[in-house]
Amino acid sequence: MSLVMIFDALLIFSMLTLGWMSIFSLSLFRCIVFFVCLGLLAAIAWGQLGAFDVAIAEAAIGAGITGALLLAAWNRIRPHRTKAIEPNVTNAKKSQKDTREHV
């Protein structure tokens, strides 16, 4: 077995593992990170096949732009934590900023 075949087998196994993990992971953030890593490995696979223009497009669009858009969407849908008001403070005034729920 040559070194190139070992690298290709490791690349295929890694892509299958990352694909499975990006679908079945419990955390949405981890799914996005695994998807971006899968896109980068797909770019390496396209480079191994000799399609360098497709590899560059996969790295730029598949991993870069799509990953950034998915992270921005995740940031907008995750629940924001509100500040806890201390019960010992008697003269604490609630501003509308503290009581307003972030959506």
Side-chain angles (χ1 to χ4, degrees), residues 5 10 24 36 39-40 45 49-51 53 55 65 68 72-73 76 85 92 96 100:
M5 288 182 66
L10 183 64
F24 294 111
V36 170
L40 292 174
L49 292 172
D53 52 345
I65 295 173
R76 292 192 55 123
I85 300 173
Q96 278 198 314
R100 185 175 29 184

Side-chain angles (χ1 to χ4, degrees), residues 70-101:
L70 285 172
L71 284 173
W74 172 77
N75 191 25
R76 292 192 55 123
I77 65 169
R78 72 184 170 116
H80 294 284
R81 300 187 194 277
T82 58
K83 294 180 181 178
I85 300 173
E86 295 179 15
N88 296 336
V89 180
T90 56
N91 294 330
K93 292 181 181 178
K94 288 184 183 179
S95 66
Q96 278 198 314
K97 200 179 227 185
D98 290 333
T99 59
R100 185 175 29 184
E101 195 174 308

Side-chain angles (χ1 to χ4, degrees), residues 13-90:
F13 178 73
S14 299
M15 287 182 68
L16 289 174
T17 304
L18 279 174
W20 184 83
M21 290 170 65
S22 67
I23 293 172
F24 294 111
S25 181
L26 296 178
S27 171
L28 186 59
F29 179 74
R30 285 183 184 170
C31 290
I32 294 170
V33 171
F34 291 146
F35 179 77
V36 170
C37 292
L38 178 65
L40 292 174
L41 284 181
I44 293 172
W46 282 115
Q48 280 292 106
L49 292 172
F52 301 112
D53 52 345
V54 179
I56 292 171
E58 175 67 34
I61 297 168
I65 295 173
T66 306
L69 288 174
L70 285 172
L71 284 173
W74 172 77
N75 191 25
R76 292 192 55 123
I77 65 169
R78 72 184 170 116
H80 294 284
R81 300 187 194 277
T82 58
K83 294 180 181 178
I85 300 173
E86 295 179 15
N88 296 336
V89 180
T90 56

